[in-house]
Amino acid sequence: MSEPRKVLIVDDEPNILMALEFLFKRSGYEVRLARDGGEAMKEAEAWRPDLMLLDIMMPVKNGYEVCQSVRERPDFAGLKIVMLSAKGSEAEINKGLSLGADRYVTKPFSTQELLATIDQLLRPDAAGAR
Amino acid sequence: MRAPKGIALWVGAASGGVLLVIGIGALLQYLAASAENRPHLLEVVAEGLPAVFFGTAILMAAAGMAASWLFRRHPHAARQLAEQSRSLLAAEKGFRVSTAGAPPLAELAGVINQLADAYHRIEHDLEARSVETRARVEEERDRFAALMSELSQGVVVCNADGRILLYNPRAAALLAPAQAGGQGDYTPLGLGRSVLALLDRNQVAHALDMLQHQIGHVDRPQTRFVAAAANGALLRVQVAPFLGPERRLAGMVFTLDDVGQLMGRESQRLRLLQSLATGVRGPVANLRAATENLASFPDMPADRREQFVGIAAAEARVLTERLNTALLAYADALKGSLTLEDMRAADLLALVQRRVAEALHMPVAIEEADPELWLRVDSYAIAHAMTFLAARLAGDYDLHGFRLRAGGGGSLGEVDLIWTGAIVGSDALSLWEGEPMRVGTEETPLTLRDVLERHGSEAWLQVDKIRQISRFRLLLPRGQAIAPVPLRGAAAESRPEYYDFDLFERIDAAGALAERKLAELSFTVFDTETTGLEPSAGDEIISIGAVRIVNGRVLKGEVFEQLVNPRRNISRESTAVHGIDNKQVAGEPPIEQVLPRFHRFCEDTVLVAHNAAFDMRFLELKEASTGVRFGQPVLDTLLLSAVVHPSIDNHHLDMIAERVGVRVIGRHTALGDALLTADVFLRLVPLLAERGIVTLGQALEASRATYHSRLQY
């Protein structure tokens, strides 16, 4: 069996963090949490996750800014970003994807569908696929 | 004229002269005679002297009388001069009195000619000035009409009786029938028609009442209401009076706005709120009850626990679905605010280009502007935001110019501010987004974020580091294209038919119809095409065309034209006349739908048709099935022509047209014939007036009296 994939979950809401941590751990992922954009950048540098689940409305540095900062750095080229947000207008989705997110999922969402999305993104043969 | 006293003097002198000549003759005869003859001669003279005196006197009296008679009887030079002078007034401008003759008279004639010169000069000046004034008035009217046609609001102006004097194209569009076929109870907008028929009669009457009450009490009386037009559009109507002498109500100005869209969006928002409130309450209640049970009774049996967990999961799914459905269904209602207006993206870019270039004294180029793209924007706020951003960039970085671009697909449009060189961090943008926007001395408390929120929009920086190109991208809601209003400048070929201020002068209420002058009545001139010539044998109308005459003008912009499904076969012979075949009328409405509409079109007018008896027979036969009666007076151009030209037998429309000088075009369509008949009718009106037929009553009476009126169909 291969090394477990690493997922960094970034959100300022503890309830969703707890639920998602449980979900991903039980599904075989290695999980770390960050409670704002600044923490997320630090964790990303130190831990080098495969995927970042990123909320948008957060203190310090919002999700759009985190995404943009990540995409500006060539050493994060392989990092997948899934935005997970209560902001769901067409303009907001358009902006998230334009700034480099691989997927945009609006809250509320189905946990099973989210898992399926992330499984697909991290499958070895889907590397680089958007 | 009396003979001057001088004539008696002349006659006296002439008599003396004759006697002197006779006396001298006699004296010479006496001197020449021999001595023995002289006494004899004296004797003869003495005997003849009284006879000579009497003869001369009689002769001279006769001559005097003759001279006096001649003087009275024949034009004297002075009288001739007077006559000529008098005809100076009436004759051609070049005409002058003769200056030949006795010197005093010649001098007088010269003075008269000078006066005539001066008179004609003044006349010429006055005429030139009045032509100039007329032209200026016409130009002002046309400019006014052009201005009216540019307005985005509908404007209808009526006189105190509610007769429409003016309307603009926007009003016509707002009040147009919902579809081409139109509904039965729809009355078209038209000059001279009553404004009461356009909107709810009671609301208009109420508005009028309010205005009457306000006049004299309020500075600027006006009232407004929201009403449904006959076509179903929801209109906000504002009514203001205009006042005549003594501040009496002379007329009213109606401005019309379509508020259907605004109201629609407003009610959509309300429905979204309602659907969220009611749709969410139930599932949340269930979810809460289930989870609270789970929390309160940790010792519950396993199967019961499983049940509640199942309920919680199911209700959470339902909630998600309801939320998503509601947001999707009312997505439009959430977009932007009501202050946004539709604008072509290219125009917005041009505006931003001007603003940025002016504020920063930097070259600003338009890289791309999708000509099809329309945006729904607050153009002032967007231009200000883009200028603010450009100023901020130029202030902090070394930039030499900007480029602009508009494009993008989907329901959003993209507007980009592009520059080459300096790479700006996204944190800088985040900072600027929250600042009050200030450009030079122009400052608003609004922030870029406020502007974005107002448009339901998003913005971000996109950087191509390799090519060193940065773009600030703004996503804006797409708008609806506004159809361009055709240009109608002062140079319009003919006077637009949207107004007729002469209607002001008309006193519509006065006098029975029969007493009214033909020249001032409103007419509907119409023609029908039919399946055949025998209505009583089942022939039917297949086409009606009509045009209105108001104030002596054919309103070619306000026509009625409708094909009718006769629900029977159209014979080949009749198709040969009018060119309408069975296929063409198959999809058209039946007469029961068309006639009520036509009836509305004719309201308050006198009907005119050529050989009207024929058309009227068809209309009468449909009274029972359609429920409409054409009770207004009818004039027949065939009969009127016979009144004007009683000695001519041929009163075919073409022939009359030729006689009265109307060019014949577009014959044998109902509308074409109606237009021709209208032109002919207008030419007949002055010819009738020459025969003393001026009022409607006189025209009807004269028609009745002509031979042709006895023809029966």
Side-chain angles (χ1 to χ4, degrees):
Chain A
M1 206 182 140
S2 63
E3 190 93 333
R5 298 297 201 133
K6 294 193 276 190
V7 175
L8 175 64
I9 306 174
V10 192
D11 207 311
D12 58 338
E13 240 192 278
N15 287 353
I16 195 83
L17 276 181
M18 194 191 297
L20 289 177
E21 183 184 18
F22 179 79
L23 174 71
F24 280 95
K25 277 191 172 161
R26 288 295 280 264
S27 308
Y29 291 94
E30 200 174 323
V31 178
R32 283 203 194 177
L33 306 177
R35 278 157 200 85
D36 62 55
E39 214 175 292
M41 286 310 292
K42 274 184 221 149
E43 203 61 62
E45 296 220 11
W47 189 50
R48 295 282 157 178
D50 298 300
L51 183 140
M52 196 186 261
L53 259 181
L54 190 58
D55 182 31
I56 291 177
M57 290 176 287
M58 287 184 304
V60 184
K61 199 166 183 166
N62 71 32
Y64 291 131
E65 290 164 330
V66 173
C67 184
Q68 210 158 12
S69 304
V70 168
R71 288 297 177 237
E72 275 167 13
R73 290 180 45 172
D75 54 322
F76 282 137
L79 176 56
K80 304 284 181 203
I81 296 178
V82 174
M83 284 194 162
L84 199 60
S85 172
K87 282 162 141 316
S89 81
E90 200 185 334
E92 287 152 349
I93 295 172
N94 198 320
K95 177 173 179 177
L97 296 176
S98 295
L99 291 179
D102 297 278
R103 293 287 188 279
Y104 193 107
V105 177
T106 53
K107 292 177 182 176
F109 52 87
S110 148
T111 48
Q112 293 310 307
E113 279 171 29
L114 180 65
L115 266 183
T117 303
I118 282 162
D119 277 346
Q120 191 211 348
L121 267 178
L122 292 179
R123 217 174 288 153
D125 58 327
R130 274 246 171 140
Chain B
M1 193 196 277
R2 275 197 55 181
K5 282 181 183 161
I7 282 192
L9 218 64
W10 278 105
V11 169
S15 309
V18 168
L19 287 176
L20 196 66
V21 169
I22 292 173
I24 291 169
L27 189 64
L28 287 177
Q29 195 67 40
Y30 177 77
L31 292 177
S34 57
E36 61 266 34
N37 280 345
R38 281 181 181 173
H40 184 64
L41 205 62
L42 272 177
E43 213 171 294
V44 170
V45 167
E47 249 173 44
L49 204 59
V52 169
F53 267 113
F54 274 115
T56 307
I58 286 167
L59 196 72
M60 285 301 119
M65 277 165 77
S68 173
W69 180 81
L70 273 174
F71 182 88
R72 285 210 189 94
R73 192 61 209 242
H74 291 285
H76 184 269
R79 278 183 72 188
Q80 233 167 17
L81 186 61
E83 291 293 334
Q84 284 188 357
S85 307
R86 206 171 291 133
S87 54
L88 263 180
L89 290 170
E92 290 286 312
K93 278 183 187 161
F95 177 81
R96 291 292 179 267
V97 298
S98 160
T99 50
L105 279 180
E107 196 183 333
L108 182 61
V111 172
I112 288 174
N113 281 342
Q114 278 173 11
L115 280 174
D117 287 343
Y119 170 75
H120 283 307
R121 247 195 328 274
I122 290 170
E123 192 184 45
H124 179 263
D125 284 356
L126 277 178
E127 199 173 316
R129 217 170 299 162
S130 103
V131 165
E132 194 184 310
T133 308
R134 257 202 316 273
R136 204 163 46 226
V137 168
E138 281 289 316
E139 192 188 316
E140 270 169 20
R141 279 185 162 194
D142 285 347
R143 203 178 297 154
F144 174 68
L147 185 77
M148 277 287 165
S149 65
E150 292 298 319
L151 285 181
S152 64
Q153 278 185 321
V155 178
V156 176
V157 179
C158 67
N159 65 12
D161 300 324
R163 300 270 156 206
I164 295 169
L165 314 173
L166 170 152
Y167 62 88
N168 67 354
R170 178 70 185 143
L174 284 174
L175 296 164
Q179 64 242 34
Q183 278 87 41
D185 59 351
Y186 169 72
T187 302
L189 179 64
L191 295 181
R193 288 190 188 284
S194 172
V195 77
L196 292 174
L198 294 176
L199 299 160
D200 186 328
R201 196 173 276 266
N202 295 326
Q203 276 181 312
V204 176
H206 176 70
L208 185 61
D209 198 41
M210 299 268 290
L211 291 181
Q212 291 278 25
H213 188 76
Q214 287 178 22
I215 293 170
H217 298 103
V218 187
D219 247 2
R220 296 186 56 201
Q222 60 164 286
T223 178
R224 57 177 70 199
F225 57 90
V226 172
N231 61 12
L234 202 57
L235 302 178
R236 184 173 55 206
V237 185
Q238 185 177 315
V239 195
F242 50 87
L243 304 176
E246 296 167 27
R247 287 182 66 77
R248 295 250 308 267
L249 185 75
M252 287 175 287
V253 183
F254 291 76
T255 45
L256 314 171
D257 265 316
D258 185 359
V259 288
Q261 224 184 354
L262 294 187
M263 305 281 255
R265 215 184 289 178
E266 195 60 29
S267 74
Q268 260 209 334
R269 284 181 189 202
L270 201 65
R271 281 209 299 276
L272 168 63
L273 270 179
Q274 279 169 347
S275 94
L276 277 179
T278 54
V280 163
R281 254 168 219 268
V284 168
N286 303 347
L287 188 62
R288 187 165 171 187
T291 52
E292 282 179 1
N293 276 349
L294 286 171
S296 307
F297 309 103
D299 55 340
M300 73 170 74
D303 58 337
R304 192 41 69 129
R305 167 178 294 274
E306 207 172 299
Q307 236 175 352
F308 282 127
V309 168
I311 289 172
E315 293 299 343
R317 261 200 311 279
V318 170
L319 265 178
T320 306
E321 264 163 40
R322 295 239 166 122
L323 194 65
N324 287 341
T325 319
L327 289 177
L328 197 68
Y330 299 106
D332 279 350
L334 296 171
K335 253 186 223 162
S337 93
L338 299 182
T339 57
L340 306 183
E341 54 178 345
D342 293 325
M343 187 176 193
R344 199 188 290 279
D347 295 340
L348 181 67
L349 283 199
L351 176 69
V352 173
Q353 179 185 35
R354 228 164 36 235
R355 287 293 199 74
V356 175
E358 269 168 26
L360 306 180
H361 307 290
M362 265 189 193
V364 180
I366 292 179
E367 191 177 280
E368 181 200 338
D370 179 355
E372 302 295 317
L373 180 64
W374 283 72
L375 301 170
R376 179 161 296 161
V377 293
D378 174 344
S379 57
Y380 169 76
I382 293 291
H384 192 68
M386 299 283 272
T387 313
F388 163 73
L389 207 75
R392 220 62 182 77
L393 285 163
D396 290 6
Y397 301 87
D398 184 26
L399 297 177
H400 302 291
F402 292 96
R403 297 190 300 284
L404 297 167
R405 177 194 158 269
S411 72
L412 297 167
E414 300 160 354
V415 173
D416 296 348
L417 178 72
I418 307 165
W419 65 94
T420 308
I423 304 284
V424 181
S426 57
D427 41 343
L429 181 65
S430 304
L431 207 67
W432 297 341
E433 275 188 4
E435 284 179 16
M437 298 189 294
R438 182 178 176 157
V439 181
T441 55
E442 206 175 345
E443 184 173 355
T444 74
L446 283 183
T447 65
L448 185 55
R449 180 81 349 238
D450 293 333
V451 174
L452 293 177
E453 265 168 26
R454 188 183 290 184
H455 289 80
S457 124
E458 289 290 336
W460 64 89
L461 271 176
Q462 249 169 266
V463 182
D464 180 342
K465 279 193 177 158
I466 298 161
R467 291 161 61 206
Q468 295 270 298
I469 293 174
S470 303
R471 61 182 70 219
F472 170 74
R473 170 158 295 176
L474 200 60
L475 285 185
L476 292 169
R478 263 180 189 261
Q480 272 178 343
I482 300 165
V485 177
L487 195 66
R488 189 197 301 279
E493 267 182 34
S494 65
R495 190 174 149 190
E497 285 174 5
Y498 295 121
Y499 64 85
D500 188 347
F501 288 116
D502 300 339
L503 288 166
F504 256 128
E505 313 301 328
R506 295 177 39 183
I507 308 154
D508 277 349
L513 219 49
E515 310 286 308
R516 299 269 307 277
K517 286 182 181 155
L518 288 175
E520 62 182 31
L521 278 166
S522 297
F523 301 92
T524 301
V525 189
F526 76 105
D527 183 50
T528 61
E529 301 293 340
T530 59
T531 57
L533 299 178
E534 287 179 62
S536 47
D539 276 325
E540 295 280 354
I541 294 175
I542 52 174
S543 169
I544 302 178
V547 63
R548 295 182 340 115
I549 294 178
V550 176
N551 241 13
R553 208 146 60 96
V554 179
L555 300 182
K556 294 194 168 119
E558 295 177 12
V559 297
F560 184 94
E561 188 174 28
Q562 180 67 55
L563 287 175
V564 183
N565 185 348
R567 287 175 297 198
R568 59 161 286 173
N569 192 45
I570 305 170
S571 69
R572 205 170 299 163
E573 300 86 70
S574 93
T575 297
V577 174
H578 45 59
I580 300 170
D581 59 24
N582 289 306
K583 230 184 279 171
Q584 274 174 278
V585 296
E588 299 295 338
I591 194 75
E592 286 76 16
Q593 282 177 28
V594 174
L595 228 44
R597 269 184 57 215
F598 180 57
H599 190 256
R600 286 238 160 195
F601 185 84
C602 303
E603 227 167 31
D604 295 334
T605 62
V606 173
L607 293 179
V608 178
H610 190 72
N611 195 0
F614 176 78
D615 301 277
M616 289 314 289
R617 187 87 187 99
F618 276 92
L619 298 185
E620 275 162 23
L621 283 174
K622 289 294 165 199
E623 272 176 20
S625 67
T626 60
V628 289
R629 212 174 85 78
F630 290 83
Q632 54 266 74
V634 183
L635 285 175
D636 187 341
T637 42
L638 188 152
L639 299 181
L640 295 177
S641 164
V643 170
V644 171
H645 300 120
S647 54
I648 298 172
D649 278 337
N650 188 332
H651 295 293
H652 282 124
L653 188 54
D654 290 334
M655 289 298 160
I656 308 175
E658 199 176 295
R659 272 204 296 279
V660 298
V662 173
R663 216 158 67 93
V664 178
I665 38 167
R667 279 294 313 250
H668 295 303
T669 67
L671 183 59
D673 280 7
L675 284 166
L676 179 61
T677 309
D679 283 341
V680 164
F681 175 70
L682 281 184
R683 298 289 177 100
L684 286 174
V685 170
L687 297 178
L688 287 165
E690 281 173 17
R691 294 174 170 263
I693 298 164
V694 177
T695 66
L696 175 65
Q698 288 166 339
L700 287 170
E701 190 46 51
S703 301
R704 213 164 288 147
T706 58
Y707 166 77
H708 289 276
S709 61
R710 279 179 232 133
L711 282 180
Q712 288 289 322
Y713 286 91

